[in-house]
Amino acid sequence: MTADGPRNAPDVVDVVALGESMVTFLPTRPGRLADVPSFERGIGGAESNVACALAAAGHAVRWVSRVGADGFGDHLVETIGGFGVDVSSVARDPSRPTGVYFRTAGDRSTDAHEVAYYRAGSAASAMTADTVDPAAVRAARVLHLSGITAALSPGCLELVRALTAPAPGRPLVSFDVNHRAGLWPDADGPRVLLELARGADIVFVGEDEAEEAWGITGGPAEIRSALPEPGVLVVKQAAKGATAFVSPAGPQAPGPEAAGPEAAGIRAAGAARVGAAAPRRRGQAIAPPAQPQPADTFVPALDVDVLATTGAGDAFAAGFLSATLRGLPVKTRLRHGHLWAAAALTVPGDLAPPPARAHADHLAALDDGTWERLRLGPGWTQAGKAPEEVRTP
């Protein structure tokens, strides 16, 4: 492997997730960062969280990123690889460090919550269209990106713009807006995020972040009016639930052949293209649902005994994408998103194993009344079909 990553022709996987992951330090007890005496080490990153959850559920997943040639980089690569994620396209940077961050044990939604990021000048912020292996990025049924990567540096923004630009044979692009105002160096962040979202096939955005970033206060329908282009738009409405909008044609699901040499370039239209040998193929195209899907679908959130909210949005995206890869109906995709989010909400760290497929399928198939009475607490993913999961009237 070179400093810029491997250049061999990769297998076609279900999902490629591109973005920064960091080593996280979680306090051993509640309190201010100034007062906490010790921390436990973990990992966290929007795209790598999605990758780990999908791989743990049995999907073929590749993580593309850069980490430092340091111990923290070793930890990230080993831990993410331990979930079954292909990490062969993660480049090691000898001159830039792996990003780290510290956070308090409290819920992010409270004023007492603190997060201290040490990611400026990190190895991942040096990702560009020149340092990322185009074949590794394109060899997927779905390419998952987020707005966090676009905010890391001008080179990262150029890369994300190239990956969301129209191109022959482009994988299905999933984009989680993930608006983080503090990451953007100027006031252009909201405009750039809207531009990038308009280029994606599947978009995830929170109702609250749409208000914060774009000033949209009219709910999911108004957000859809601002984002009519994506084939699927998922508006997360916090504890209320989530609404999915599907265009009549839906996203154009690519087959394995979409990642061939004609799709290898990651430059914007008109720029020089980067050739690559045809990848070894595996997997199949995303099957469309058997029945036509409604233009908009709302599914209420579950009643969850929350330990921490960190990583729940990433888990929701992973659950929705998993069900999308399986060709399930939109309502069922939303339910899987909620179930995977519930798994993350009931653990203290950023990552949680998703529920077993049979268990999730069983819960996702409940009638509406039973779904709305469902209550999930810590350890529920190991509970099988325990009757205590369902709160009776």
Side-chain angles (χ1 to χ4, degrees):
M1 182 185 299
T2 69
D4 287 335
R7 297 294 177 182
N8 58 308
D11 286 338
V12 176
V13 295
D14 291 329
V15 177
V16 164
L18 180 147
E20 181 175 37
S21 190
M22 294 180 289
V23 173
T24 67
F25 289 92
L26 311 178
T28 54
R29 65 172 176 81
R32 300 184 310 150
L33 288 179
D35 300 328
V36 174
S38 59
F39 297 81
E40 293 181 349
R41 185 181 61 179
I43 66 168
E47 300 85 1
S48 61
N49 288 348
V50 170
C52 290
L54 285 168
H59 295 284
V61 186
R62 177 180 302 118
W63 177 49
V64 177
S65 188
R66 290 175 75 85
V67 299
D70 50 34
F72 288 151
D74 293 342
H75 177 64
L76 283 176
V77 171
E78 292 168 6
T79 303
I80 294 171
F83 279 85
V85 176
D86 174 4
V87 294
S88 64
S89 296
V90 177
R92 307 303 295 264
D93 192 319
S95 60
R96 297 177 181 85
T98 302
V100 301
Y101 79 92
F102 296 76
R103 68 174 176 86
T104 52
D107 193 309
R108 274 188 178 175
S109 63
T110 68
D111 292 336
H113 185 75
E114 298 175 71
V115 181
Y117 289 102
Y118 299 90
R119 71 195 312 176
S122 68
S125 70
M127 287 190 293
T128 69
D130 294 321
T131 61
V132 167
D133 181 1
V137 173
R138 294 293 195 187
R141 298 163 67 194
V142 175
L143 169 61
H144 182 68
L145 307 167
S146 91
I148 293 174
T149 303
L152 295 180
S153 68
C156 284
L157 175 55
E158 174 199 8
L159 173 62
V160 177
R161 276 185 166 140
L163 293 172
T164 54
R170 186 186 81 170
L172 197 73
V173 173
S174 164
F175 182 74
D176 194 333
V177 171
N178 263 323
H179 178 239
R180 301 287 187 270
L183 285 179
W184 290 93
D186 51 42
D188 282 345
R191 177 189 59 79
V192 172
L193 290 172
L194 191 61
E195 165 203 328
L196 296 173
R198 285 174 171 160
D201 301 293
I202 301 173
V203 173
F204 301 93
V205 64
E207 189 174 30
D208 55 344
E209 66 183 339
E211 179 177 357
E212 179 184 358
W214 305 320
I216 299 175
T217 59
E222 188 175 336
I223 297 171
R224 181 55 163 173
S225 295
L227 275 171
E229 295 87 356
V232 175
L233 171 66
V234 180
V235 180
K236 297 173 290 182
Q237 299 166 262
K240 181 179 178 181
T243 299
F245 296 89
V246 180
S247 66
Q252 298 304 305
E257 70 278 2
E262 72 278 5
I266 57 174
R267 293 294 193 183
R273 304 187 65 78
V274 181
R280 298 182 297 278
R281 298 174 181 176
R282 73 178 181 183
Q284 297 176 345
I286 298 171
Q291 302 296 327
Q293 299 300 293
D296 62 277
T297 303
F298 171 78
V299 171
L302 294 164
D303 187 356
V304 178
D305 296 330
V306 177
L307 288 184
T309 59
T310 307
D314 305 325
F316 181 97
F320 188 92
L321 291 176
S322 175
T324 298
L325 288 162
R326 297 171 59 195
L328 300 179
V330 172
K331 180 179 179 179
T332 308
R333 298 180 197 182
L334 288 169
R335 285 191 169 189
H336 276 272
H338 285 314
L339 288 164
W340 288 39
L345 289 166
T346 51
V347 298
D350 286 27
L351 283 171
R357 177 173 291 187
H359 188 190
D361 284 346
H362 164 72
L363 296 179
L366 295 173
D367 63 78
D368 291 346
T370 307
W371 173 266
E372 293 178 15
R373 294 193 302 274
L374 196 63
R375 180 172 182 175
L376 303 176
W380 75 268
T381 58
Q382 309 302 317
K385 299 179 182 178
E388 61 268 21
E389 289 178 336
V390 179
R391 175 191 289 162
T392 55

Tab-separated table of all heavy atoms in Angstrom, residues 5-16 60-64 86-90 132-141 171 256-261 263-264 275-283:
chain	number	residue	atom	x	y	z
A	5	GLY	N	-2.743	5.066	-0.750
A	5	GLY	CA	-3.676	3.951	-0.824
A	5	GLY	C	-3.387	3.045	-2.004
A	5	GLY	O	-2.611	3.372	-2.901
A	6	PRO	N	-4.034	1.893	-2.055
A	6	PRO	CA	-3.805	0.914	-3.108
A	6	PRO	C	-4.409	1.358	-4.428
A	6	PRO	O	-5.348	2.127	-4.468
A	6	PRO	CB	-4.524	-0.343	-2.573
A	6	PRO	CG	-5.610	0.219	-1.705
A	6	PRO	CD	-5.050	1.461	-1.091
A	7	ARG	N	-3.860	0.846	-5.532
A	7	ARG	CA	-4.358	1.202	-6.852
A	7	ARG	C	-4.783	-0.031	-7.641
A	7	ARG	O	-4.915	0.025	-8.848
A	7	ARG	CB	-3.270	1.960	-7.632
A	7	ARG	CG	-2.891	3.291	-6.987
A	7	ARG	CD	-4.019	4.290	-7.009
A	7	ARG	NE	-3.654	5.528	-6.337
A	7	ARG	CZ	-4.457	6.560	-6.167
A	7	ARG	NH1	-5.710	6.487	-6.568
A	7	ARG	NH2	-4.055	7.645	-5.553
A	8	ASN	N	-4.991	-1.168	-6.955
A	8	ASN	CA	-5.462	-2.354	-7.645
A	8	ASN	C	-6.970	-2.266	-7.857
A	8	ASN	O	-7.658	-1.457	-7.235
A	8	ASN	CB	-5.118	-3.610	-6.830
A	8	ASN	CG	-5.730	-3.559	-5.442
A	8	ASN	OD1	-5.554	-2.578	-4.744
A	8	ASN	ND2	-6.411	-4.626	-5.062
A	9	ALA	N	-7.493	-3.102	-8.756
A	9	ALA	CA	-8.926	-3.087	-9.039
A	9	ALA	C	-9.673	-3.799	-7.918
A	9	ALA	O	-9.470	-4.983	-7.680
A	9	ALA	CB	-9.196	-3.773	-10.369
A	10	PRO	N	-10.551	-3.112	-7.199
A	10	PRO	CA	-11.220	-3.715	-6.040
A	10	PRO	C	-12.486	-4.461	-6.419
A	10	PRO	O	-13.047	-4.282	-7.501
A	10	PRO	CB	-11.563	-2.492	-5.183
A	10	PRO	CG	-11.801	-1.411	-6.193
A	10	PRO	CD	-10.857	-1.691	-7.351
A	11	ASP	N	-12.950	-5.291	-5.499
A	11	ASP	CA	-14.248	-5.928	-5.645
A	11	ASP	C	-15.351	-4.876	-5.587
A	11	ASP	O	-15.224	-3.853	-4.923
A	11	ASP	CB	-14.493	-6.930	-4.508
A	11	ASP	CG	-13.677	-8.202	-4.647
A	11	ASP	OD1	-13.262	-8.507	-5.771
A	11	ASP	OD2	-13.456	-8.868	-3.624
A	12	VAL	N	-16.454	-5.174	-6.267
A	12	VAL	CA	-17.646	-4.346	-6.126
A	12	VAL	C	-18.342	-4.757	-4.829
A	12	VAL	O	-18.638	-5.933	-4.621
A	12	VAL	CB	-18.602	-4.526	-7.323
A	12	VAL	CG1	-19.889	-3.729	-7.109
A	12	VAL	CG2	-17.919	-4.079	-8.611
A	13	VAL	N	-18.588	-3.798	-3.954
A	13	VAL	CA	-19.220	-4.063	-2.664
A	13	VAL	C	-20.617	-3.454	-2.648
A	13	VAL	O	-21.012	-2.724	-3.546
A	13	VAL	CB	-18.366	-3.501	-1.513
A	13	VAL	CG1	-17.033	-4.238	-1.430
A	13	VAL	CG2	-18.153	-1.997	-1.663
A	14	ASP	N	-21.364	-3.762	-1.598
A	14	ASP	CA	-22.684	-3.165	-1.463
A	14	ASP	C	-22.589	-1.659	-1.237
A	14	ASP	O	-23.297	-0.877	-1.866
A	14	ASP	CB	-23.433	-3.804	-0.277
A	14	ASP	CG	-23.805	-5.248	-0.530
A	14	ASP	OD1	-24.048	-5.612	-1.700
A	14	ASP	OD2	-23.847	-6.030	0.448
A	15	VAL	N	-21.720	-1.259	-0.310
A	15	VAL	CA	-21.630	0.147	0.074
A	15	VAL	C	-20.171	0.548	0.249
A	15	VAL	O	-19.388	-0.183	0.871
A	15	VAL	CB	-22.388	0.426	1.389
A	15	VAL	CG1	-22.217	1.889	1.825
A	15	VAL	CG2	-23.871	0.101	1.240
A	16	VAL	N	-19.827	1.696	-0.299
A	16	VAL	CA	-18.582	2.380	0.043
A	16	VAL	C	-18.949	3.598	0.875
A	16	VAL	O	-19.823	4.381	0.499
A	16	VAL	CB	-17.792	2.816	-1.204
A	16	VAL	CG1	-16.724	3.852	-0.833
A	16	VAL	CG2	-17.132	1.624	-1.878
A	60	ALA	N	-21.504	-6.261	2.365
A	60	ALA	CA	-20.121	-6.047	1.947
A	60	ALA	C	-19.880	-4.541	1.883
A	60	ALA	O	-20.534	-3.829	1.120
A	60	ALA	CB	-19.869	-6.685	0.581
A	61	VAL	N	-18.938	-4.055	2.684
A	61	VAL	CA	-18.747	-2.616	2.850
A	61	VAL	C	-17.255	-2.274	2.788
A	61	VAL	O	-16.417	-3.016	3.318
A	61	VAL	CB	-19.313	-2.120	4.203
A	61	VAL	CG1	-19.234	-0.601	4.307
A	61	VAL	CG2	-20.758	-2.581	4.381
A	62	ARG	N	-16.960	-1.151	2.167
A	62	ARG	CA	-15.588	-0.631	2.128
A	62	ARG	C	-15.574	0.774	2.725
A	62	ARG	O	-16.442	1.591	2.418
A	62	ARG	CB	-15.069	-0.586	0.686
A	62	ARG	CG	-13.658	0.013	0.534
A	62	ARG	CD	-13.200	0.024	-0.929
A	62	ARG	NE	-13.211	-1.323	-1.473
A	62	ARG	CZ	-13.963	-1.719	-2.500
A	62	ARG	NH1	-14.770	-0.849	-3.108
A	62	ARG	NH2	-13.927	-2.959	-2.908
A	63	TRP	N	-14.602	1.035	3.572
A	63	TRP	CA	-14.391	2.384	4.100
A	63	TRP	C	-13.195	2.998	3.400
A	63	TRP	O	-12.120	2.389	3.342
A	63	TRP	CB	-14.167	2.332	5.612
A	63	TRP	CG	-13.859	3.658	6.250
A	63	TRP	CD1	-14.537	4.833	6.089
A	63	TRP	CD2	-12.794	3.932	7.174
A	63	TRP	NE1	-13.975	5.827	6.852
A	63	TRP	CE2	-12.897	5.293	7.529
A	63	TRP	CE3	-11.778	3.161	7.736
A	63	TRP	CZ2	-12.006	5.897	8.421
A	63	TRP	CZ3	-10.895	3.761	8.624
A	63	TRP	CH2	-11.018	5.108	8.961
A	64	VAL	N	-13.357	4.189	2.849
A	64	VAL	CA	-12.284	4.911	2.169
A	64	VAL	C	-11.983	6.174	2.970
A	64	VAL	O	-12.879	6.979	3.227
A	64	VAL	CB	-12.682	5.279	0.726
A	64	VAL	CG1	-11.586	6.104	0.059
A	64	VAL	CG2	-12.970	4.011	-0.085
A	86	ASP	N	-14.046	-3.636	4.765
A	86	ASP	CA	-12.832	-3.645	3.953
A	86	ASP	C	-12.109	-2.317	4.172
A	86	ASP	O	-12.625	-1.252	3.820
A	86	ASP	CB	-13.208	-3.820	2.479
A	86	ASP	CG	-12.017	-3.704	1.529
A	86	ASP	OD1	-10.869	-3.562	1.998
A	86	ASP	OD2	-12.254	-3.730	0.304
A	87	VAL	N	-10.925	-2.358	4.763
A	87	VAL	CA	-10.152	-1.148	5.048
A	87	VAL	C	-8.899	-1.056	4.178
A	87	VAL	O	-8.004	-0.264	4.455
A	87	VAL	CB	-9.769	-1.069	6.532
A	87	VAL	CG1	-11.008	-0.911	7.403
A	87	VAL	CG2	-8.975	-2.308	6.965
A	88	SER	N	-8.845	-1.842	3.111
A	88	SER	CA	-7.647	-1.861	2.264
A	88	SER	C	-7.446	-0.567	1.500
A	88	SER	O	-6.346	-0.313	0.985
A	88	SER	CB	-7.725	-3.044	1.284
A	88	SER	OG	-8.826	-2.891	0.396
A	89	SER	N	-8.475	0.277	1.406
A	89	SER	CA	-8.350	1.544	0.685
A	89	SER	C	-8.192	2.739	1.628
A	89	SER	O	-8.394	3.881	1.224
A	89	SER	CB	-9.576	1.757	-0.213
A	89	SER	OG	-9.634	0.759	-1.215
A	90	VAL	N	-7.837	2.470	2.876
A	90	VAL	CA	-7.538	3.551	3.821
A	90	VAL	C	-6.057	3.887	3.697
A	90	VAL	O	-5.194	3.034	3.907
A	90	VAL	CB	-7.871	3.137	5.262
A	90	VAL	CG1	-7.490	4.245	6.243
A	90	VAL	CG2	-9.351	2.800	5.390
A	132	VAL	N	-7.384	10.044	-3.398
A	132	VAL	CA	-8.334	8.954	-3.173
A	132	VAL	C	-8.381	8.060	-4.409
A	132	VAL	O	-8.442	8.554	-5.543
A	132	VAL	CB	-9.735	9.521	-2.856
A	132	VAL	CG1	-10.797	8.435	-2.923
A	132	VAL	CG2	-9.738	10.177	-1.477
A	133	ASP	N	-8.330	6.764	-4.188
A	133	ASP	CA	-8.367	5.790	-5.285
A	133	ASP	C	-9.761	5.788	-5.919
A	133	ASP	O	-10.728	5.361	-5.284
A	133	ASP	CB	-8.028	4.410	-4.733
A	133	ASP	CG	-8.005	3.319	-5.798
A	133	ASP	OD1	-8.243	3.632	-6.978
A	133	ASP	OD2	-7.747	2.159	-5.435
A	134	PRO	N	-9.891	6.265	-7.159
A	134	PRO	CA	-11.222	6.358	-7.767
A	134	PRO	C	-11.901	5.009	-7.956
A	134	PRO	O	-13.118	4.897	-7.796
A	134	PRO	CB	-10.960	7.050	-9.104
A	134	PRO	CG	-9.523	6.773	-9.406
A	134	PRO	CD	-8.829	6.728	-8.074
A	135	ALA	N	-11.138	3.974	-8.267
A	135	ALA	CA	-11.755	2.663	-8.471
A	135	ALA	C	-12.353	2.139	-7.173
A	135	ALA	O	-13.438	1.545	-7.166
A	135	ALA	CB	-10.718	1.682	-9.015
A	136	ALA	N	-11.666	2.359	-6.063
A	136	ALA	CA	-12.182	1.888	-4.780
A	136	ALA	C	-13.459	2.611	-4.388
A	136	ALA	O	-14.349	2.036	-3.774
A	136	ALA	CB	-11.121	2.088	-3.692
A	137	VAL	N	-13.574	3.889	-4.757
A	137	VAL	CA	-14.759	4.664	-4.418
A	137	VAL	C	-15.949	4.261	-5.284
A	137	VAL	O	-17.084	4.146	-4.805
A	137	VAL	CB	-14.472	6.171	-4.563
A	137	VAL	CG1	-15.735	6.994	-4.371
A	137	VAL	CG2	-13.408	6.601	-3.570
A	138	ARG	N	-15.703	4.042	-6.554
A	138	ARG	CA	-16.789	3.781	-7.497
A	138	ARG	C	-17.277	2.341	-7.495
A	138	ARG	O	-18.383	2.063	-7.983
A	138	ARG	CB	-16.337	4.138	-8.918
A	138	ARG	CG	-16.060	5.622	-9.143
A	138	ARG	CD	-17.310	6.453	-9.052
A	138	ARG	NE	-17.118	7.790	-9.608
A	138	ARG	CZ	-18.007	8.767	-9.531
A	138	ARG	NH1	-19.144	8.552	-8.917
A	138	ARG	NH2	-17.767	9.940	-10.062
A	139	ALA	N	-16.490	1.421	-6.979
A	139	ALA	CA	-16.847	0.003	-7.055
A	139	ALA	C	-17.849	-0.350	-5.962
A	139	ALA	O	-17.535	-1.043	-4.993
A	139	ALA	CB	-15.592	-0.864	-6.951
A	140	ALA	N	-19.071	0.138	-6.125
A	140	ALA	CA	-20.097	-0.079	-5.099
A	140	ALA	C	-21.474	0.060	-5.705
A	140	ALA	O	-21.663	0.728	-6.728
A	140	ALA	CB	-19.930	0.930	-3.965
A	141	ARG	N	-22.445	-0.560	-5.069
A	141	ARG	CA	-23.847	-0.333	-5.436
A	141	ARG	C	-24.316	1.006	-4.882
A	141	ARG	O	-25.111	1.708	-5.491
A	141	ARG	CB	-24.707	-1.467	-4.894
A	141	ARG	CG	-24.343	-2.838	-5.469
A	141	ARG	CD	-24.911	-3.972	-4.629
A	141	ARG	NE	-26.373	-4.012	-4.695
A	141	ARG	CZ	-27.126	-4.729	-3.860
A	141	ARG	NH1	-26.548	-5.416	-2.881
A	141	ARG	NH2	-28.432	-4.743	-3.988
A	171	PRO	N	-22.294	5.263	-9.026
A	171	PRO	CA	-23.088	4.485	-8.067
A	171	PRO	C	-24.248	5.319	-7.535
A	171	PRO	O	-24.251	6.551	-7.637
A	171	PRO	CB	-22.089	4.162	-6.945
A	171	PRO	CG	-20.742	4.455	-7.491
A	171	PRO	CD	-20.919	5.482	-8.556
A	256	PRO	N	-23.870	-4.020	-10.645
A	256	PRO	CA	-22.434	-4.126	-10.423
A	256	PRO	C	-21.622	-3.535	-11.561
A	256	PRO	O	-20.531	-3.039	-11.359
A	256	PRO	CB	-22.202	-5.635	-10.294
A	256	PRO	CG	-23.538	-6.197	-9.938
A	256	PRO	CD	-24.546	-5.313	-10.596
A	257	GLU	N	-22.170	-3.572	-12.787
A	257	GLU	CA	-21.407	-3.064	-13.919
A	257	GLU	C	-21.194	-1.566	-13.854
A	257	GLU	O	-20.357	-1.012	-14.568
A	257	GLU	CB	-22.119	-3.421	-15.235
A	257	GLU	CG	-23.428	-2.650	-15.470
A	257	GLU	CD	-24.609	-3.259	-14.748
A	257	GLU	OE1	-24.414	-4.250	-14.028
A	257	GLU	OE2	-25.722	-2.729	-14.890
A	258	ALA	N	-21.923	-0.867	-12.961
A	258	ALA	CA	-21.799	0.584	-12.884
A	258	ALA	C	-20.420	1.017	-12.430
A	258	ALA	O	-20.054	2.164	-12.578
A	258	ALA	CB	-22.842	1.146	-11.927
A	259	ALA	N	-19.655	0.116	-11.832
A	259	ALA	CA	-18.359	0.507	-11.292
A	259	ALA	C	-17.219	0.171	-12.238
A	259	ALA	O	-16.078	0.114	-11.843
A	259	ALA	CB	-18.139	-0.173	-9.944
A	260	GLY	N	-17.477	-0.035	-13.502
A	260	GLY	CA	-16.453	-0.365	-14.471
A	260	GLY	C	-15.580	0.814	-14.794
A	260	GLY	O	-15.675	1.889	-14.219
A	261	PRO	N	-14.668	0.675	-15.764
A	261	PRO	CA	-13.702	1.726	-16.047
A	261	PRO	C	-14.324	3.037	-16.454
A	261	PRO	O	-13.763	4.090	-16.196
A	261	PRO	CB	-12.850	1.117	-17.183
A	261	PRO	CG	-13.641	-0.038	-17.695
A	261	PRO	CD	-14.474	-0.522	-16.568
A	263	ALA	N	-16.649	4.466	-15.090
A	263	ALA	CA	-17.097	5.180	-13.898
A	263	ALA	C	-15.953	5.518	-12.962
A	263	ALA	O	-16.177	6.011	-11.875
A	263	ALA	CB	-18.119	4.321	-13.146
A	264	ALA	N	-14.717	5.254	-13.380
A	264	ALA	CA	-13.616	5.362	-12.435
A	264	ALA	C	-13.222	6.800	-12.143
A	264	ALA	O	-12.719	7.099	-11.066
A	264	ALA	CB	-12.396	4.599	-12.966
A	275	GLY	N	-8.482	6.450	-15.386
A	275	GLY	CA	-8.870	5.108	-15.794
A	275	GLY	C	-8.587	4.096	-14.699
A	275	GLY	O	-7.767	4.294	-13.838
A	276	ALA	N	-9.291	2.961	-14.793
A	276	ALA	CA	-9.068	1.861	-13.848
A	276	ALA	C	-9.487	0.573	-14.516
A	276	ALA	O	-10.392	0.550	-15.333
A	276	ALA	CB	-9.865	2.066	-12.566
A	277	ALA	N	-8.810	-0.491	-14.146
A	277	ALA	CA	-9.189	-1.786	-14.694
A	277	ALA	C	-10.559	-2.177	-14.174
A	277	ALA	O	-10.968	-1.779	-13.094
A	277	ALA	CB	-8.147	-2.836	-14.283
A	278	ALA	N	-11.276	-2.978	-14.947
A	278	ALA	CA	-12.611	-3.416	-14.521
A	278	ALA	C	-12.498	-4.213	-13.227
A	278	ALA	O	-11.667	-5.102	-13.103
A	278	ALA	CB	-13.248	-4.276	-15.608
A	279	PRO	N	-13.295	-3.883	-12.212
A	279	PRO	CA	-13.200	-4.586	-10.927
A	279	PRO	C	-13.778	-5.980	-11.007
A	279	PRO	O	-14.598	-6.286	-11.858
A	279	PRO	CB	-14.032	-3.707	-9.993
A	279	PRO	CG	-15.039	-3.065	-10.903
A	279	PRO	CD	-14.322	-2.846	-12.204
A	280	ARG	N	-13.348	-6.807	-10.077
A	280	ARG	CA	-13.980	-8.109	-9.928
A	280	ARG	C	-15.360	-7.879	-9.364
A	280	ARG	O	-15.543	-7.162	-8.384
A	280	ARG	CB	-13.139	-8.986	-8.982
A	280	ARG	CG	-11.750	-9.239	-9.510
A	280	ARG	CD	-10.953	-10.144	-8.575
A	280	ARG	NE	-10.755	-9.538	-7.275
A	280	ARG	CZ	-9.814	-8.659	-7.014
A	280	ARG	NH1	-8.999	-8.260	-7.984
A	280	ARG	NH2	-9.675	-8.162	-5.803
A	281	ARG	N	-16.372	-8.501	-9.935
A	281	ARG	CA	-17.753	-8.175	-9.601
A	281	ARG	C	-18.351	-9.163	-8.623
A	281	ARG	O	-18.142	-10.350	-8.695
A	281	ARG	CB	-18.599	-8.142	-10.885
A	281	ARG	CG	-18.129	-7.084	-11.868
A	281	ARG	CD	-18.886	-7.184	-13.171
A	281	ARG	NE	-18.412	-6.179	-14.106
A	281	ARG	CZ	-18.838	-6.075	-15.357
A	281	ARG	NH1	-19.736	-6.913	-15.819
A	281	ARG	NH2	-18.360	-5.140	-16.138
A	282	ARG	N	-19.134	-8.628	-7.705
A	282	ARG	CA	-19.960	-9.479	-6.860
A	282	ARG	C	-21.160	-8.648	-6.451
A	282	ARG	O	-21.184	-7.440	-6.554
A	282	ARG	CB	-19.188	-9.978	-5.633
A	282	ARG	CG	-18.931	-8.945	-4.556
A	282	ARG	CD	-18.203	-9.601	-3.392
A	282	ARG	NE	-17.965	-8.654	-2.328
A	282	ARG	CZ	-17.306	-8.944	-1.233
A	282	ARG	NH1	-16.787	-10.141	-1.089
A	282	ARG	NH2	-17.128	-8.047	-0.289
A	283	GLY	N	-22.178	-9.315	-5.953
A	283	GLY	CA	-23.395	-8.593	-5.591
A	283	GLY	C	-24.296	-8.426	-6.793
A	283	GLY	O	-23.945	-8.752	-7.926
